Amino acid sequence: MTGAILVGGEARSSDRFFQATDPATGELIEARFPEAGIEDVDAACRLADLAFMDYAMSPPTRIAAFLEKIAENILAIGDDLIVSAMRETGLPRPRLEGERGRTVGQLRLFAGLVRQGEWIDARIDPAMPDRAPAPRPEIRSRKMALGPVAVFGASNFPLAFSVAGGDTASALAAGCPVVFKGHPAHPATGELVARAIQSAVSDCGLPEGVFSYLPGPSHELGQALVAHPLITAVGFTGSRAGGLALMKTAAERETPIPVYAEMSSINPVLLLPSRLKAAAEALGGAFVGSLTMGAGQFCTNPGLLLVLDGPDADRFLDGATKALVESAALTMLTPGIHAAYCAGIEALADHGGARLVARGLVGEGPHMARAALFETSASQFLSDPVLSREVFGSTSLLVRCKDEAELCAVLEGLEGQLTATLHMDEGDQALAGRLMPRLIRKVGRILANGWPTGVEVTHAMVHGGPFPATSDGRTTSVGTMAIERFLRPVCFQDISDVLLPEALRQDNPLSLPLRVDGQRI
Ligand SMILES: NC(=O)C1=CN([C@@H]2O[C@H](COP(=O)(O)OP(=O)(O)OC[C@H]3O[C@@H](n4cnc5c(N)ncnc54)[C@H](O)[C@@H]3O)[C@@H](O)[C@H]2O)C=CC1
Ligand SMILES: O=C(O)CCC(=O)C(=O)O
C-alpha cells in the first residue's frame, strides 16, 4: 500500500494529497493519499469503455472466476486489512472480521449466480414461417451489461459496502467495468482492497480497464465521474444530500443515466399490543441491542418505534431505559458524522414536541456517540416533519398512538423506508393483516420478531425501498437481485447464428437455462 490512484493497471500520484482521521483519537493518520483529478476520471472511464465489450461478452465462467479471485486476494491481505479498517473507522475487530466474511461471501455468491446463467435470461421465440396472415420472425433476447459503472462506497461499511462491496460485486457480475470513487474516510483500507481487485484483473487476464480506483475527498471528483459521458450507471450508499446531488447531475447529463442510491431510512418498528403485553421489558432491552450496534451507524437502524399507548408502552420504555443508561458510548466513524449526530440529538432535545427518555453513558474519546431515546405523541409526530428526519446514529423516537387509526395515519405519513419490523404474536395476527398492505406500499423489507440491523446477503433479500430510502424502489443493493440494476435486455431478430452472442446460439454452447416460446427448458 503506497498511496495511489489506480487507473486500470497503473498506479498514479497527484500534486494534491489528503489524510484520514483516526476517529478514536481525533488525530490525523500520518499516511498521505493522492487525490484523483479530472484527468484520472477521464483516463479511468476511457479504459473502462475500452474494456467493456470484451469483459461483458466473456463467458460466465470467466467472470465468476474473476469474482472468486477478488475474494481470494482480499483474504490474502490478511490482518493488515482489519488493522487498517479499525484505525480508520473506529469499528471493532470482530465487526470488521465479520464484515470481511460478508464481503468475500458476497463475491462468491455472485460468482455462483453468474455461473448458473439464469441472470442472462436467454429467450428464444422460434420463427413461424407458416403463420397466417404473416410469418413470425425468429426473436431471441438476453440481458446485457449496461457499460462502465461508477460506484461510491459507504463510510459505515468499509468492506461490505465499499470498494469490493455489493455495488461493485453486482456490477462486475453483470459484466460492467467499475470506476470506484474511494471514500475519503478509509483511504488505506480502500486502497488495499482496490489493489486486490487490480491484481485479480491481471491474474485473470482481463483487460485492465475492468477496474479503476479514484480516491479523494472532493465533491468535484464524484461529480465529474457521474457526469462523464462514458459512465452508464451509478451505485451509491451514503447521505440523502449526496445521493440527491448525484441524481441531479445524472439527470442533467446530455445522456441521463440511472443512479441507484441507498440513502436515508428510519426503519419503523411496530410493537403490537398482544406481543407487547407478553414481553414489554424484554423487548425494550433487545431493542437497545439493535439501536446501539455499531454506534447506530446503520441505514437499517431502528429509529422509530410505534406503539398503541398504554401501560405496556411504559413497561417497554422502562426496559429500554434500563439497558440504555448502561450502554457504552462508541466511537463514530468520522468527526463529521459525529457532529451531525450531536446536532440531531440537540435538535430533538430542544424540540418542544419530543421528550428525552434516556441517554447512554458518556464516553471519553473525542467522537463518541451516547445513545438516546425520545418519545412523542402521534399527533405531534404527524404535525411536525422534523420529528421524522433521520438522525444517523444510535437514537430513536417512540411514538405513542392513541388507537389503530392514528397508527395507520403515522404509517401513511412516513416516507419510503428500507425496512419495517413487526413485533407480534398470534393475538396480533388480525391487526398485522390490516397493517400489511400499508407496510408493503412503504418499505422494501418487512420482518417479524427480529431487528432490522444486519442484512443477510441471499437470493431473496431486498435492501431497497421507495424514495428516499433509495432513489429507485424497484431494485435492491444487497443480494443477487442487485445484478438487475446493471443489465438491459437486447433483442436479436432474424440474426444469423454466427452473429449472435454465444448465449443465444442454437447449440447453446454455454449450457444456459433457456426460455423457448415462454417455456423454461
Ligand atoms: N444510507 C446509508 O446507509 C448511510 C448514510 N450515511 C449518511 O451520510 C452522512 C455522511 O456520511 P458519509 O459516508 O460521508 O456520506 P456522504 O454521502 O457524505 O458521502 C458518500 C460518498 O459520496 C461522495 N459525495 C457526497 N456528496 C457528494 C456530492 N454532492 N457530490 C459528489 N460526491 C459526493 C463523498 O465524497 C463520498 O465518497 C451520515 O451522517 C449519514 O447521515 C452514511 C453512511 C451510510
Ligand atoms: O444492516 C446492515 O447489515 C446493512 C446496513 C446498510 O446497508 C447500511 O448501513 O448502509
Side-chain angles (χ1 to χ4, degrees):
M1 214 274 305
T2 54
I5 300 158
L6 304 182
V7 175
E10 188 192 350
R12 297 181 164 193
S13 193
S14 157
D15 53 9
R16 294 180 312 280
F17 290 84
F18 70 101
Q19 286 167 275
T21 301
D22 178 341
T25 61
E27 309 281 320
L28 284 178
I29 299 175
E30 51 293 345
R32 295 186 331 141
F33 294 86
E35 247 188 271
I38 304 304
E39 60 295 347
D40 303 309
V41 171
D42 189 53
C45 293
R46 282 176 192 279
L47 276 182
D49 189 63
L50 269 179
F52 170 51
M53 279 314 274
D54 178 358
Y55 180 59
M57 300 307 276
S58 298
T61 45
R62 191 178 184 213
I63 294 179
F66 171 49
L67 295 171
E68 285 162 349
K69 189 70 192 165
I70 296 173
E72 189 186 318
N73 290 356
I74 289 173
L75 290 177
I77 301 168
D79 206 44
D80 286 355
L81 183 64
I82 302 299
V83 170
S84 160
M86 284 166 66
R87 178 120 196 250
E88 292 185 326
T89 64
L91 293 169
R93 173 178 282 278
R95 149 69 197 270
L96 289 165
E97 286 176 349
E99 198 181 322
R100 176 175 58 187
R102 172 169 165 172
T103 307
V104 165
Q106 188 161 255
L107 287 159
R108 291 179 176 152
L109 187 76
F110 275 106
L113 174 91
V114 168
R115 270 207 184 87
Q116 191 265 347
E118 203 154 319
W119 61 280
I120 292 177
D121 196 8
R123 295 174 184 227
I124 302 173
D125 297 335
M128 293 179 178
D130 301 329
R131 190 183 69 175
R136 181 173 89 173
E138 182 196 68
I139 300 171
R140 295 174 184 242
S141 67
R142 66 156 290 178
K143 296 271 178 73
M144 285 292 315
L146 282 182
V149 171
V151 176
F152 291 71
S155 54
N156 60 336
F157 278 79
L159 303 173
F161 282 81
S162 193
V163 183
D167 284 342
T168 299
S170 52
L172 290 177
C176 298
V178 166
V179 181
F180 192 92
K181 154 68 174 71
H183 198 291
H186 54 258
T189 309
E191 188 180 327
L192 284 170
V193 176
R195 285 183 181 271
I197 303 179
Q198 191 191 46
S199 301
V201 171
S202 96
D203 296 340
C204 295
L206 293 169
E208 60 170 331
V210 165
F211 179 78
S212 289
Y213 172 73
L214 307 176
S218 81
H219 288 180
E220 290 70 33
L221 171 61
Q223 290 289 342
L225 180 57
V226 173
H228 197 285
L230 295 175
I231 291 294
T232 57
V234 180
F236 170 92
T237 304
S239 65
R240 186 162 173 171
L244 289 177
L246 297 181
M247 284 166 69
K248 185 164 183 292
T249 302
E252 287 171 356
R253 289 166 42 122
E254 201 171 311
T255 311
I257 53 171
V259 175
Y260 299 108
E262 193 223 297
M263 299 174 285
S264 68
S265 186
I266 54 174
N267 305 299
V269 174
L270 288 77
L271 303 163
L272 301 191
S274 172
R275 177 71 190 140
L276 192 63
K277 191 177 179 60
E281 289 88 356
L283 282 173
F287 153 72
V288 171
S290 172
L291 178 75
T292 54
M293 185 192 290
Q297 301 167 116
F298 287 78
C299 53
T300 47
N301 195 52
L304 182 69
L305 296 155
L306 303 179
V307 64
L308 294 178
D309 202 7
D312 296 330
D314 299 333
R315 286 174 51 223
F316 174 86
L317 282 183
D318 288 346
T321 299
K322 269 196 199 108
L324 199 81
V325 296
E326 284 173 8
S327 68
L330 293 172
T331 299
M332 296 196 84
L333 294 157
T334 66
I337 288 178
H338 178 251
Y341 176 72
C342 294
I345 298 273
E346 242 169 71
L348 279 175
D350 292 346
H351 192 286
R355 183 182 79 82
L356 178 65
V357 177
R359 298 261 358 222
L361 296 167
V362 178
E364 292 191 349
H367 303 119
M368 297 191 102
R370 285 175 73 192
L373 178 58
F374 293 86
E375 68 160 323
T376 190
S377 66
S379 56
Q380 258 310 332
F381 187 80
L382 285 166
S383 67
D384 190 348
V386 168
L387 292 175
S388 56
R389 279 199 203 132
E390 181 187 38
V391 178
F392 190 71
S394 49
T395 185
S396 191
L397 175 66
L398 179 134
V399 177
R400 293 177 187 264
C401 305
K402 67 176 188 296
D403 52 24
E404 182 180 332
E406 217 176 37
L407 175 61
C408 290
V410 169
L411 283 180
E412 271 159 24
L414 290 180
E415 296 185 305
Q417 303 292 332
L418 291 172
T419 71
T421 303
L422 293 164
H423 279 278
M424 57 174 288
D425 61 21
E426 265 182 45
D428 297 310
Q429 292 281 17
L431 172 58
R434 293 192 295 277
L435 295 173
M436 198 54 94
R438 292 183 166 84
L439 298 178
I440 290 171
R441 289 185 68 166
K442 285 284 167 186
V443 316
R445 175 166 61 110
I446 303 164
L447 63 142
N449 298 327
W451 301 98
T453 39
V455 175
E456 292 289 340
V457 185
T458 65
H459 299 289
M461 176 49 68
V462 175
H463 190 56
F467 182 87
T470 73
S471 53
D472 187 339
R474 291 170 296 182
T475 65
T476 173
S477 67
V478 176
T480 53
M481 268 191 275
I483 197 173
E484 297 288 338
R485 300 173 300 169
F486 304 117
L487 295 169
R488 69 185 176 91
V490 180
C491 179
F492 301 85
Q493 184 172 324
D494 282 338
I495 300 291
S496 60
D497 207 54
V498 65
L499 293 177
L500 285 171
E502 264 192 307
L504 293 177
R505 290 198 185 145
Q506 193 57 29
D507 58 354
N508 193 8
L510 302 178
S511 304
L512 292 172
L514 301 175
R515 192 177 287 277
V516 177
D517 238 348
Q519 301 301 314
R520 270 256 163 263
I521 60 163

